[in-house]
Amino acid sequence: MALWKISVKNSGNAACKNKRQRLEKGMFVETSTTSTTPPIGVIREQPMLAQLFMSKYGIEIDPHHMNPSHFDCVKIG
């Protein structure tokens, strides 16, 4: 089990399902995984990460367009 902090590297527009929404540098979500692989690069984890951003910030990111180069993923536990 690992705990991860996924944060936005730079401010910019997010690829969203219906419209463009703004991501600000420093926005972050936390999640746990059963694997030690960072979740931002794992396709099956992307819908869950998109849902976390939706729940916390109201930003509807398209999970298929979550580019790992736009996010920092740090293991915190």
Side-chain angles (χ1 to χ4, degrees), residues 14-18 46-47 50 59-67:
C16 302
K17 292 182 180 177
N18 298 325
Q46 290 178 341
I59 296 173
E60 190 175 355
I61 301 171
D62 186 346
H64 303 293
H65 292 101
M66 287 190 75
N67 188 336

Side-chain angles (χ1 to χ4, degrees), residues 44-61:
R44 73 175 184 273
E45 300 286 352
Q46 290 178 341
M48 180 264 307
L49 295 174
Q51 181 59 43
L52 290 171
F53 275 95
M54 178 63 175
S55 296
K56 187 169 184 178
Y57 298 106
I59 296 173
E60 190 175 355
I61 301 171

